[in-house]
Amino acid sequence: MTVLVVGDVIDDIVVRPLRPTAPDTDTPSAITAGPGGSGANQAAWLGALGARVRFAGRVGAADAAAHTAALAASGVDARLAADPGAPTGRIVVLARGGRRDMYTDRGANLNLCAADLPDDLLDGVTLLHVSGYSLFQPGVRAAAGDLMRRARERGAETSVDPASAAFLADAGPAAFRAWARGARLIFPNLDEGRLLTGAREPAAVAAALLEDHPVVALKLGAEGALVAARDGTRLALPSAPAEVVDPTGAGDAFCAGFLAGWAAGRPLEDCARGAVAAAGRAVAAVGARPRKEF
């Protein structure tokens, strides 16, 4: 059983100030560069967790081989379109303790199109997971939405991660809920869930999202997660014990941990526990992708 992930590929630059920021002058920092992108991170974590995973995205032509190899190192069958004109997307992540601010240039990701998502991507696929970044721009949304339709016609399940509270606010909650409707699973964090529903408390957010999705996995950061299903299941899980070094990619690892269990047919509680365990491993190291020794 194969999981297909569609989403962004990014070159991450993670900046960790070593002391409080000094305005208008130098602040000593630890700076690390590496591969990222929400969808690509999710695929890499899925592969590292032992799932059979395929990924589709778009990068600058000069970087296609390197990003394909980076994903392959985590066990991902990467199908990357090489953009001849736009560069690979880039993000500068300012990581301070348990929070991170992201300065985003999505680059070639904005040019993902129907030709990049052919029918053979769906061969053997039982679950299609779409990063919300692929739904915020009209052209990319049309291509991803059509792939979701084709996946369902083949009998595959679909899932969505809203991915960005800022882009979600720009798009409008009602619009995003319409784009995501039909997905069996949704993976918002609490800020995204509040935007989507207007509710404040996690239980109320999850209950509102169950109107659109049979399973809701609500990411609560240091507070863990709340998983709810239409059959009445409610699972409140604490976060995994970990020293937070860099929270970049923790939400992506959470999605992957959950979906790895889901694709393997494990009980919902096992999926949830796998999700928080993967997120705990992610925050304990710098960068958004799984470490080689994982």
Side-chain angles (χ1 to χ4, degrees), residues 13-89:
I13 300 172
V14 179
V15 180
R16 291 182 296 132
L18 300 178
R19 66 188 190 198
T21 300
D24 296 322
T25 187
D26 298 300
T27 299
S29 302
I31 301 176
T32 306
S38 182
N41 295 339
Q42 290 161 356
W45 279 97
L46 274 161
L49 291 165
R52 182 175 296 176
V53 57
R54 187 175 299 147
F55 175 78
R58 192 174 181 93
V59 298
D63 301 324
H67 275 287
T68 298
L71 286 164
S74 292
V76 179
D77 172 15
R79 313 282 182 92
L80 300 183
D83 196 303
T88 300

Side-chain angles (χ1 to χ4, degrees), residues 9-13 87-92 103-107 109:
V9 187
I10 292 285
D11 290 327
D12 282 350
I13 300 172
T88 300
R90 290 165 291 183
I91 291 181
V92 176
Y103 302 86
T104 305
D105 177 355
R106 294 185 60 208
N109 294 293

Side-chain angles (χ1 to χ4, degrees), residues 206-228:
L209 288 172
L210 286 174
E211 296 174 10
D212 294 340
H213 309 281
V215 178
V216 176
L218 186 63
K219 296 173 281 189
L220 302 176
E223 301 303 315
L226 173 64
V227 176

Side-chain angles (χ1 to χ4, degrees), residues 51 54 56 94 108 111 116 125 138 148 152 158 178-179 184 205 208 225 227 243 250 270 282 288:
R54 187 175 299 147
L94 183 59
N111 295 334
D116 302 332
V125 167
M148 294 172 78
R152 292 178 188 130
T158 57
W179 302 333
R184 182 166 179 79
V205 170
V227 176
E243 178 184 356
D270 289 354

Side-chain angles (χ1 to χ4, degrees), residues 26-278:
D26 298 300
T27 299
S29 302
I31 301 176
T32 306
S38 182
N41 295 339
Q42 290 161 356
W45 279 97
L46 274 161
L49 291 165
R52 182 175 296 176
V53 57
R54 187 175 299 147
F55 175 78
R58 192 174 181 93
V59 298
D63 301 324
H67 275 287
T68 298
L71 286 164
S74 292
V76 179
D77 172 15
R79 313 282 182 92
L80 300 183
D83 196 303
T88 300
R90 290 165 291 183
I91 291 181
V92 176
V93 181
L94 183 59
R96 291 169 289 184
R99 63 169 291 178
R100 77 276 187 274
D101 300 319
M102 297 181 289
Y103 302 86
T104 305
D105 177 355
R106 294 185 60 208
N109 294 293
L110 295 174
N111 295 334
L112 188 76
C113 63
D116 302 332
L117 305 175
D119 281 339
D120 63 5
L121 277 177
L122 293 168
D123 290 349
V125 167
T126 56
L127 173 71
L128 166 62
H129 178 70
V130 176
S131 168
Y133 285 106
S134 296
L135 300 178
F136 293 124
Q137 196 273 343
V140 182
R141 180 169 65 247
D146 184 65
L147 185 68
M148 294 172 78
R149 176 190 59 79
R150 285 181 278 146
R152 292 178 188 130
E153 288 177 351
R154 289 190 177 206
E157 295 179 316
T158 57
S159 61
V160 172
D161 176 6
S164 169
F167 289 158
L168 177 57
D170 289 343
F176 190 91
R177 288 185 71 163
W179 302 333
R181 195 167 289 123
R184 182 166 179 79
L185 306 99
I186 191 167
F187 295 92
N189 64 29
L190 184 56
D191 287 342
E192 294 157 0
R194 285 170 169 168
L195 279 169
L196 285 168
T197 65
R200 299 298 299 169
E201 295 303 314
V205 170
L209 288 172
L210 286 174
E211 296 174 10
D212 294 340
H213 309 281
V215 178
V216 176
L218 186 63
K219 296 173 281 189
L220 302 176
E223 301 303 315
L226 173 64
V227 176
R230 284 181 183 167
D231 66 3
T233 298
R234 298 292 186 274
L235 301 169
L237 290 88
S239 59
E243 178 184 356
V244 178
V245 175
D246 174 15
T248 309
D252 300 327
F254 179 97
C255 286
F258 194 102
L259 292 175
W262 185 272
R266 298 187 188 119
L268 197 60
E269 184 171 358
D270 289 354
C271 296
R273 293 190 182 283
V276 295

